[in-house]
Amino acid sequence: MKYLFMEPALPSGGSGLLKKHLNKMKQQQFSLRSRLDSFGFAFNGLYNFFKQEPNARIHLIATLTVFIAAV
């Protein structure tokens, strides 16, 4: 019961890794090449997912069937 009534801990300074990471992300500029690479990685992951998981293929076929029937 004593833990329910404890005062919250004071924030610590930490190592600053989060601030460094956020600053690094802010410094990166928009790159069309990096965006296209990201989409390529995503589609490759989806392809591998449907290739390796039989239940995913069944769900995909069922979803497409329902979608086509609704249209």
Side-chain angles (χ1 to χ4, degrees), residues 2-37:
K2 69 177 183 177
Y3 297 111
L4 294 176
F5 302 104
M6 290 180 66
E7 294 182 21
L10 295 174
S12 64
S15 63
L17 290 177
L18 181 60
K19 285 183 181 179
K20 289 178 186 177
H21 180 68
L22 291 175
N23 286 337
K24 184 178 178 183
M25 289 183 68
K26 287 180 184 177
Q27 292 173 355
Q28 292 177 347
Q29 302 236 343
F30 176 80
S31 167
L32 183 60
R33 182 73 207 159
S34 67
R35 299 296 171 193
L36 291 175
D37 287 344

Side-chain angles (χ1 to χ4, degrees), residues 43-63:
F43 286 123
N44 188 30
L46 286 172
Y47 172 76
N48 287 328
F49 175 67
F50 286 114
K51 182 180 172 185
Q52 297 173 1
E53 299 292 335
N55 288 338
R57 290 189 292 251
I58 293 169
H59 282 87
L60 178 64
I61 292 169
T63 302

